[in-house]
Amino acid sequence: MKTSGARRIGLMTGGGDAPGLNGIIEATVRSLADQDIEIVGICDGFEGIFERRTVSLDSEKVLNAHTFAGTLLGSSNKGSTKGREAEFLKAFADLKLEGLIAAGGDGTFEGLSRVIQGLKLIGVPKTIDNDLQGTDVTFGFDTACAVVAEAVDALRATADAHRRVFVVEAMGRTTGWIALGGGLASYADAILVPERPISRDALKKHLIGLQALKRRGAMIVVGEGAHFENESPRIAFRVEGSMQAERFGGVSQDIARWIEKETGWEARNVVLGHLQRSRHPTTTDRFMTAAMGVEVGRMVQENDWGKAVVMRNGNIARAPLSDLMKPPRLIDGNHRWVKVAQSMGIFI
Ligand code: F6P
């Protein structure tokens, strides 16, 4: 039961949504149910702070939210605090909140780093891209990989029926974690990631090798930011006002046309797009968000501000917020998944 003197803590979700955000909200609110602490949801990320739009949360309101992708608070990957720092802090003060729990990605934390001096903050790293530094893995990533793997598994049927190569395009911006995770989980024939520019000669040789084995179909998973050697990633369009304005897209089509021309193997492409953000979270992601939400609740009770809740060596840990405010975490050539893929004869 909350009294009129309850501590009021804000909770916002920022940036592109990731399956598991609702799990963070539900676990945080439920873990504080018997405390005199009110969790106030901020609507639509930074926009909700600037426009002072909030919603009071309690255990009944968030019950079973964890089963759905998206975020019941809304989110935005457009708004920024840049040049509006004083306005942001004034709006936040008007909300009469003691501190802010922010679940977000690099854009959200870049925005918050501009106002951090005036804010009590707890950070929760979030992105399907899995490219945040400071944490071993982010929730939403496993679910995105599951979407890719399920798509590749399904598309094999039509690929084999028609003797075609399918090039399946995964999200991930400048990193290829989703392509790598989804491609490995589905034992794809080739995995193309931005961190490893594609050699035309090597990929052609690999495909011709598969043809020589009389393979009817072949499956390729490509990260949206992947590109041929000495070329640039394919930018589809820009979103003005977004902290990361470039939107990637189209590489799978380019590769499919190139394969037809170079190998004579008929090819089609499938862009999975936002389906990767919209599946109900996997159990792996649910375990993570339940444990992280509970840890956030503990941090609030202990007044342990200025930190992020992260995954380290399979455990939940607290880390400096600055750990999340670094450049994207790239796939290392020695990563165990790269090595496993290579040992299986997967082109990467
Ligand atoms: O960062 C998450 C992400 O889903 C990327 O993988 C993708 O490139 C981007 O967001 C898409 O953004 P939007 O939802 O604005 O199209």
Side-chain angles (χ1 to χ4, degrees):
M1 195 56 193
K2 319 292 174 191
T3 68
S4 57
R7 293 172 62 195
R8 282 166 46 87
I9 314 290
L11 170 56
M12 69 164 263
T13 54
D17 58 357
L21 275 172
N22 283 324
I24 292 285
I25 297 168
E26 180 175 349
T28 302
V29 171
R30 288 178 59 177
S31 75
L32 293 169
D34 59 358
Q35 301 292 314
D36 201 16
I37 298 173
E38 183 190 358
I39 295 295
V40 178
I42 312 276
C43 304
D44 301 325
F46 289 146
E47 273 177 44
I49 293 182
F50 283 120
E51 295 166 12
R52 299 158 179 80
R53 285 189 287 111
T54 62
V55 54
S56 182
L57 299 173
D58 61 36
S59 291
E60 286 309 305
K61 281 193 190 146
V62 301
L63 195 67
N64 295 332
H66 70 275
T67 58
F68 302 105
T71 159
L72 59 87
L73 294 176
S75 192
S76 168
N77 57 1
K78 278 192 271 183
S80 168
T81 59
K82 197 171 176 185
R84 301 176 70 189
E85 292 84 354
E87 184 190 347
F88 180 93
L89 288 171
K90 165 78 174 67
F92 190 76
D94 288 349
L95 293 174
K96 304 223 173 325
L97 300 170
E98 178 186 324
L100 179 67
I101 302 159
D106 37 12
T108 303
F109 291 111
E110 199 273 331
L112 289 170
S113 70
R114 298 171 185 277
V115 290
I116 205 153
Q117 306 309 338
L119 204 61
K120 283 183 175 177
L121 187 63
I122 292 173
V124 184
K126 164 256 34 160
T127 169
I128 62 164
D129 301 343
N130 197 38
D131 62 350
L132 278 180
Q133 293 209 43
T135 188
D136 296 346
V137 62
T138 49
F139 63 82
F141 169 63
D142 187 65
T143 304
C145 289
V147 173
V148 175
E150 284 163 10
V152 173
D153 290 347
L155 288 164
R156 264 198 194 95
T158 184
D160 286 345
H162 285 265
R163 295 182 190 270
R164 283 175 175 166
V165 179
F166 266 78
V167 187
V168 179
E169 185 170 319
M171 280 186 164
R173 294 185 54 81
T174 54
T175 65
W177 290 104
I178 303 174
L180 175 58
L184 185 56
S186 58
Y187 292 25
D189 298 293
I191 299 171
L192 311 175
V193 297
E195 291 89 335
R196 302 169 74 82
I198 310 156
S199 154
R200 290 178 190 267
D201 288 347
L203 181 56
K204 182 174 170 182
K205 194 168 159 218
H206 182 71
L207 292 171
I208 288 171
L210 295 178
Q211 285 177 312
L213 293 171
K214 306 263 178 268
R215 289 275 298 275
R216 292 181 62 89
M219 303 304 302
I220 298 178
V221 179
V222 59
E224 61 185 1
H227 52 91
F228 287 113
E229 280 173 347
N230 305 316
E231 293 182 15
S232 304
R234 181 86 125 77
I235 305 296
F237 59 96
R238 293 177 59 86
V239 179
E240 294 314 326
S242 171
M243 280 193 246
Q244 295 158 325
E246 297 86 15
R247 292 294 182 273
F248 296 79
V251 64
S252 57
Q253 185 162 13
D254 294 347
I255 292 175
R257 295 290 74 77
W258 176 81
I259 288 171
E260 288 191 337
K261 189 165 142 284
E262 293 293 324
T263 69
W265 207 342
E266 200 178 17
R268 293 289 185 272
N269 74 299
V270 173
V271 180
L272 296 175
H274 293 80
L275 286 171
Q276 292 157 98
R277 300 212 312 232
S278 298
R279 183 190 190 273
H280 59 276
T282 58
T283 48
T284 299
D285 279 336
R286 293 179 194 207
F287 293 142
M288 199 189 312
T289 56
M292 282 185 152
V294 167
E295 186 70 0
V296 168
R298 285 196 194 113
M299 290 162 86
V300 169
Q301 289 179 67
E302 294 167 17
N303 260 310
D304 195 9
W305 299 98
K307 291 192 184 145
V309 53
V310 297
M311 292 297 296
R312 295 267 165 96
N313 303 317
N315 295 311
I316 301 286
R318 300 178 191 182
L321 271 168
S322 54
D323 283 11
L324 304 182
M325 298 168 183
K326 294 180 178 165
R329 189 168 59 92
L330 304 178
I331 297 171
D332 186 280
N334 289 316
H335 190 275
R336 63 185 191 288
W337 288 356
V338 174
K339 295 288 170 201
V340 170
Q342 287 169 335
S343 299
M344 289 172 67
I346 296 174
F347 179 94
I348 178 162

